[in-house]
Amino acid sequence: MTETVDHSFEAAFHAAQQSLREGGIPIGAALARGGEVIASGHNERVQHGDPIAHGEMAALRAAGRQKTYRDITLYTTLAPCAMCSGTILQFKIPRVVVGEDVTFPGELEFLRSRGVDVVVLNDRRCIDMMTEFQRDHPELWAEDIAEQ
């Protein structure tokens, strides 16, 4: 990983840890432009009772209006779901760096099929964090991915 990926991905990872500390689902995301993090966010579904407050959505909300997203990289600790993948496509975000896709495969092939450059880091910390969360809070996880 380059320094830029390290710094930007770490912002997403720290956001995921914050969500876990708050009693939420440990998924974080960050948006970077030109090597600088412009926003980060984490899954806030539990904390705010908001069904669409996934980590990627929270990071986009924190970034506010942007003239373009075509020069942004989205960093996320977990493979994006269908909703977040649709948002990535809607705003034409060209690159997504994913912490892991072991505990949830998400829609990575869909993103790739639409021309998004997807990089999976297989970050052991992310895998362990989600494995523990899914084991300890199966009902919250099922609710988050609409499997309940």
Side-chain angles (χ1 to χ4, degrees):
M1 284 189 288
T2 66
E3 269 186 48
T4 300
V5 171
D6 283 346
H7 172 71
S8 300
F9 182 73
E10 288 304 310
F13 182 74
H14 291 303
Q17 291 178 309
Q18 179 181 347
S19 187
L20 187 60
R21 285 191 302 273
E22 293 173 359
I25 298 164
I27 302 168
L31 298 169
R33 173 181 284 128
E36 295 295 320
V37 174
I38 61 169
S40 65
H42 59 79
N43 188 300
E44 299 173 329
R45 293 186 74 251
V46 173
Q47 297 92 319
H48 297 294
D50 182 346
I52 62 171
H54 284 198
E56 297 88 342
M57 301 298 211
L60 283 161
R61 186 176 293 122
R65 290 176 57 199
Q66 302 289 313
K67 288 184 180 205
T68 185
Y69 297 86
R70 293 175 190 228
D71 59 347
I72 285 180
T73 298
L74 171 69
Y75 296 84
T76 182
T77 57
L78 186 65
C81 70
M83 177 180 66
C84 294
S85 294
T87 303
I88 290 163
L89 295 177
Q90 175 68 30
F91 291 106
K92 297 175 177 48
I93 296 171
R95 186 166 190 257
V96 178
V97 177
V98 177
E100 64 104 348
D101 65 351
V102 173
T103 64
F104 180 73
E107 298 294 334
L108 299 184
E109 290 311 312
F110 173 62
L111 289 170
R112 288 180 177 121
S113 77
R114 299 293 297 270
V116 177
D117 177 23
V118 176
V119 176
V120 179
L121 302 176
N122 293 313
D123 187 279
R124 175 50 51 192
R125 300 168 304 163
C126 293
I127 296 168
D128 292 345
M129 184 168 49
M130 281 308 298
T131 298
E132 288 178 32
F133 181 81
Q134 290 169 350
R135 181 193 66 223
D136 296 345
H137 305 282
E139 70 293 339
L140 279 180
W141 177 242
E143 179 187 319
D144 194 61
I145 59 171
E147 293 291 325
Q148 205 161 15

